[in-house]
Amino acid sequence: PAEEKAQLLQNSEYQERMVESTFLYLTLDLPTAPLYKDEKEQLIIPQVPLFSILAKFNGSTEKEYKTYKENFLKRFQLTRLPPYLIFCIKRFTKNNFFVEKNPTIVNFPITNVDLREYLSEEVQAAHAHTTYDLIANIVHDGKPSEGSYRIHVLHHGTGKWYELQDLQVTDILPQMITLSEAYIQIWKRREEDDTNQQQGA
């Protein structure tokens, strides 16, 4: 009821609090992977756009957190954009018995990811450059306990992408990078010089 709600909102435990904290990387949560099969009895690999999981940082999307003591809601918003951003796509969840891996593919563009909408209007004015390009992509293949890692790296001088696994280095097409189970990504903010360079290329 409205009256009870108004009373509860007066209590300190229901008050909204704002905390500013620094971050090393941004954790992106994947939606729960469906467990159904298609007509050919093959497991369907779910997909999600990068911008859907980035919505966590738009300042209005609420995420529920549960502890053994309490439940609370959090909203996140970016207040500054650094020269480099690290995304950690949360693929692994641990329960009491084992670690599970979410195989959802994240669909993302390699260049021109604009994060302006994740900043408040006042903060937007202070940021001339809000566009990022991918420069490295770490992939996890296989099961959580016995999987392997591959790294996709952009060679800045040539603009070519390479795949590294152990001591093996091979060329890779940019469109193949987006088909992998990305785990950690490093993005570089595009400055004025980078824009002019890409336009001239």
Side-chain angles (χ1 to χ4, degrees), residues 6 28 39 52 89 92 99 104 164 169 179:
L28 304 181
E39 312 89 42
S52 292
I89 297 165
F92 303 100
V99 177
T104 301
L164 289 72
V169 180
L179 302 175

Side-chain angles (χ1 to χ4, degrees), residues 11-27:
N11 296 347
S12 58
E13 64 179 304
Y14 290 98
Q15 295 297 308
E16 189 172 275
R17 290 184 298 127
M18 189 170 79
V19 178
E20 191 166 317
S21 59
T22 55
F23 62 87
L24 177 62
Y25 58 86
L26 297 177
T27 303

Side-chain angles (χ1 to χ4, degrees), residues 145-167:
S145 54
E146 54 195 55
S148 61
Y149 292 92
R150 289 179 289 135
I151 303 173
H152 302 129
V153 180
L154 174 67
H155 185 277
H156 187 68
T158 60
K160 287 185 177 178
W161 281 91
Y162 293 92
E163 181 175 279
L164 289 72
Q165 187 166 24
D166 297 328
L167 296 176

Side-chain angles (χ1 to χ4, degrees), residues 26-44:
L26 297 177
T27 303
L28 304 181
D29 306 307
L30 290 173
T32 307
L35 298 174
Y36 56 83
K37 296 182 178 184
D38 65 8
E39 312 89 42
K40 296 177 184 174
E41 292 297 305
Q42 298 295 314
L43 281 173
I44 291 182

